[in-house]
Amino acid sequence: MTTKQLIFSSFTQFKNLKEARQTPFWKSILYLLALSVIMALPISFQVFQVLDNIKTDGQQIAKKIPDFEIKDGQLDAHGAEGFIYQTNSIIFTFDPDGKRSEHDISTDLMGNFISVGMLKDQMVIALPNSGTTTSLLGSNEMTLNYSNEALADLNGQQMREVLANSTIPFWIKAVTFIITIYPSFLNLLITLTIASFAGYIYARLRLTRATFLDCLKTMIYAITLPTLLSTVILIFVPTFDTSIFITLVGLFIFIQASKGWPRFQLPKQ
């Protein structure tokens, strides 16, 4: 049975999946990767929404930023007062008088907010503290001194124009989507392994001749339907527990498929 036929069978003709154990292992892994790509779609959609919110909020902040320039590595706002402005995704601090510190910007973080502070002598960006942030950046804070060449000529008009006209490049969305495939693949692989062990135990109890690899390849196709259903549900319910759902439904389909496997013959007494 071809891979295409197995995929079609995974939706209705569950018993036909008994032939999945005859497929090459590399084809099964490629199909698992394809399922991971599908699972990454709702996650990517959520990330894109966050990026769009940040872009929109940045445009709101642009309207609040007064004229300023960088002189001798320090923020000069020409007498304009500092302020703190909060949007749906960003807490922005403009502090030309040096009243706030790097620690203050970090403690402004609430939930998934990003805290950005233009302080007297540096710009501080504080991200939500997570294992990913720490592993990539070493900290959830980034500090940029105004003496840095990228900021040395920064002024109010430039910053307002950048924020007001900001767009999200296609390559950022593409990279984001590729990155989200990894956790989707890892989560699906763990779920698949657990379900395959349970399926293998069931197959051995029924005295079938199946090996663990047979069960694994069969389970990859058995989780097709619950994976697609989980993807749809995640769009509307982001907190939905996909692992349990995929495991239970996948096992049900696996049981239907394993009924056609040859069994050991018990010795006659």
Side-chain angles (χ1 to χ4, degrees):
M1 184 174 283
T2 65
T3 300
K4 184 178 180 180
Q5 290 173 324
L6 285 171
I7 294 173
F8 284 129
S9 296
S10 65
F11 292 99
T12 54
Q13 304 296 324
F14 301 148
K15 291 183 179 180
N16 290 342
L17 295 182
K18 66 180 183 293
E19 303 296 336
R21 63 181 189 152
Q22 306 296 336
T23 60
F25 183 62
W26 66 270
K27 284 188 177 181
S28 300
I29 293 300
L30 284 180
Y31 183 62
L32 178 63
L33 181 59
L35 291 177
S36 302
V37 171
I38 294 173
M39 281 288 289
L41 291 175
I43 301 175
S44 300
F45 178 73
Q46 294 169 22
V47 174
F48 294 159
Q49 282 187 318
V50 172
L51 292 176
D52 286 335
N53 288 339
I54 292 175
K55 181 189 72 174
T56 302
D57 292 346
Q59 293 170 348
Q60 293 181 27
I61 291 172
K63 301 175 183 178
K64 303 291 182 179
I65 296 176
D67 289 328
F68 71 85
E69 59 183 331
I70 305 299
K71 285 186 177 180
D72 300 323
Q74 292 194 330
L75 180 65
D76 184 359
H78 309 295
E81 295 184 358
F83 64 89
I84 299 175
Y85 186 74
Q86 178 176 323
T87 65
N88 292 329
S89 60
I90 303 173
I91 300 177
F92 181 80
T93 298
F94 186 79
D95 180 30
D97 301 320
K99 296 180 179 179
R100 309 199 76 205
S101 67
E102 178 182 340
H103 176 72
D104 294 328
I105 302 303
S106 180
T107 54
D108 283 341
L109 281 175
M110 295 186 301
N112 293 324
F113 280 126
I114 297 175
S115 183
V116 179
M118 293 193 67
L119 306 183
K120 182 67 177 177
D121 56 357
Q122 64 183 348
M123 179 181 291
V124 179
I125 301 175
L127 304 173
N129 198 358
S130 67
T132 303
T133 303
T134 304
S135 61
L136 292 176
L137 304 176
S139 171
N140 68 318
E141 297 179 11
M142 291 186 293
T143 58
L144 301 170
N145 293 324
Y146 294 131
S147 56
N148 188 296
E149 292 184 4
L151 298 178
D153 298 324
L154 184 66
N155 58 53
Q157 181 178 353
Q158 289 178 349
M159 192 163 186
R160 287 192 295 269
E161 290 177 353
V162 169
L163 291 175
N165 302 317
S166 62
T167 58
I168 302 174
F170 174 79
W171 68 268
I172 290 183
K173 291 187 176 182
V175 170
T176 299
F177 178 63
I178 292 172
I179 291 175
T180 57
I181 293 175
Y182 172 72
S184 297
F185 178 78
L186 188 61
N187 179 62
L188 203 56
L189 182 61
I190 294 173
T191 301
L192 173 69
T193 302
I194 295 173
S196 296
F197 269 115
Y200 178 67
I201 293 173
Y202 172 82
R204 299 306 291 178
L205 289 175
R206 293 192 69 249
L207 301 178
T208 66
R209 299 176 181 273
T211 65
F212 177 75
L213 185 59
D214 293 336
C215 296
L216 179 63
K217 289 190 289 185
T218 303
M219 188 63 74
I220 289 176
Y221 292 93
I223 65 173
T224 298
L225 181 59
T227 297
L228 294 179
L229 290 175
S230 295
T231 301
V232 174
I233 295 173
L234 278 175
I235 296 175
F236 304 99
V237 187
T239 58
F240 179 69
D241 192 338
T242 59
S243 297
I244 294 179
F245 180 76
I246 292 174
T247 299
L248 294 178
V249 179
L251 277 172
F252 171 79
I253 296 174
F254 174 87
I255 290 172
Q256 309 309 309
S258 65
K259 291 179 179 179
W261 286 346
R263 302 170 65 180
F264 289 104
Q265 295 296 324
L266 294 176
K268 295 182 180 180
Q269 296 183 351

